[in-house]
Amino acid sequence: MKQFRTLIVCDSPHHGNTRKVADALAEEFPEITVMTINEARAASLKEYDLVGLASGIYYGSFSKPLLAYAETLPRGTAVFTLYTYGIKRDGYVNRLHEILRTRGCRIIGSYGCPGYDTFGPLKLVGGISKDHPNATDIRLAASFYEHLKK
Ligand SMILES: Cc1cc2nc3c(=O)[nH]c(=O)nc-3n(C[C@H](O)[C@H](O)[C@H](O)COP(=O)(O)O)c2cc1C
């Protein structure tokens, strides 16, 4: 029987916060492979049953390269979205999910948690969401992923 496989495509330029969550998931669930966007563009999606799109939040949305990558996904792809942010707020997923819906992808869930943020003036005060993602953020991400597959 073919093994279930998941690809997480991750763009994490600020502090590697989102990559930390993605890598922790890959460590816990052997069916997960994590790739950068460039690596994913060179790979075949046919090998994967589920695709995770992961990035930090920049100016209220997922990263521009990740939004552009989402535009290339084939119709019917099962997708979950994963993100880290400095300040919790509604709507960070809206733009990405709109792209995915327009492309006919199936959005099966989304998980977000805080990530260390030193953007702009925040640097002067030592940043916010320090020490995130932490062990609890990662445990919740693992439980989110586990429930997705059920
Ligand atoms: C240019 C820039 C813009 C950002 N905009 C937001 C924002 O709109 N909302 C927010 O909560 N965090 C914002 N952040 C903080 C990041 O989302 C947060 O630090 C995230 O964990 C970065 O993920 P990464 O390390 O995986 O790149 C911004 C950070 C940068 C560098």
Side-chain angles (χ1 to χ4, degrees):
M1 204 177 79
K2 186 183 166 279
Q3 208 215 325
F4 186 90
R5 293 192 65 190
T6 298
L7 173 65
I8 299 181
V9 182
C10 186
D11 190 31
S12 184
H14 189 36
H15 284 293
N17 297 326
T18 317
R19 181 78 195 212
K20 184 175 168 190
V21 179
D23 285 345
L25 288 177
E27 204 159 292
E28 185 157 347
F29 301 95
E31 79 268 16
I32 297 181
T33 301
V34 184
M35 291 188 191
T36 62
I37 293 171
N38 280 343
E39 287 166 345
R41 282 190 189 278
S44 166
L45 278 188
K46 290 204 180 84
E47 318 234 330
Y48 299 93
D49 305 284
L50 180 59
V51 174
L53 296 182
S55 87
I57 296 300
Y58 317 95
Y59 308 110
S61 190
F62 282 69
S63 80
K64 286 205 169 119
L66 197 79
L67 295 173
Y69 177 78
E71 300 271 12
T72 70
L73 287 176
R75 187 171 188 81
T77 307
V79 180
F80 68 93
T81 58
L82 182 71
Y83 59 100
T84 62
Y85 52 80
I87 300 168
K88 190 174 173 65
R89 209 171 274 161
D90 286 340
Y92 288 145
V93 301
N94 290 357
R95 197 153 153 221
L96 177 58
H97 285 196
E98 179 60 33
I99 290 170
L100 292 170
R101 275 193 291 271
T102 304
R103 287 206 66 75
C105 295
R106 284 191 299 125
I107 303 164
I108 61 168
S110 187
Y111 174 79
C113 70
Y116 182 42
D117 180 7
T118 55
F119 175 49
L122 292 176
K123 200 186 233 163
L124 303 175
V125 294
I128 57 169
S129 295
K130 263 189 186 166
D131 304 321
H132 288 275
N134 61 19
T136 302
D137 301 323
I138 285 167
R139 186 170 45 74
L140 292 172
S143 138
F144 157 78
Y145 177 76
E146 216 160 20
H147 282 92
L148 271 189
K149 295 193 296 171
K150 288 186 180 149

